[in-house]
Each structure stands twice: as structure tokens, then as C-alpha cells.
Amino acid sequence: MAYIEDLLSFGKMQVTLIGAKVLIFNPLEQISLQFRTDTKVWGLPGELME
């Protein structure tokens, strides 16, 4: 994401990003989450394409 942050730091410009998130369920119908160490929050697994 540092690349996108660098682009946005130059001013107001539109940046289009493509990404995907997934819902992963175990047999007990619990959702798998990932912990982000950069923002210290839990979220859905996924990726962003720059």
C-alpha cells in the first residue's frame, strides 16, 4: 500500500484499485479472520492489486 499512499500524497487524483475478499467458514460455521499488524485490526482475508 505504500505505493498507493505515495500516489495520493501528490494531491487529489483518482486511483482505481482492484481487490478481493473471501469468507472462509469452518465446519462450525465460524468465519476465519486475519490480524493486520500495520493497523492492529481484524479483517477478512483478501488482497489488493496495485
Side-chain angles (χ1 to χ4, degrees):
M1 275 304 275
Y3 171 73
I4 300 303
E5 291 169 355
D6 288 343
L7 280 177
L8 296 175
S9 70
F10 290 109
K12 293 185 178 188
M13 58 187 281
Q14 185 174 354
V15 177
T16 303
L17 303 172
I18 298 172
K21 296 283 186 185
V22 295
L23 291 173
I24 302 171
F25 293 91
N26 68 10
L28 299 176
E29 297 186 8
Q30 298 170 322
I31 298 175
S32 177
L33 298 174
Q34 68 178 11
F35 184 73
R36 292 187 50 154
T37 57
D38 58 342
T39 59
K40 307 285 191 265
V41 297
W42 290 92
L44 295 172
E47 192 59 49
L48 185 65
M49 187 159 132
E50 299 179 1

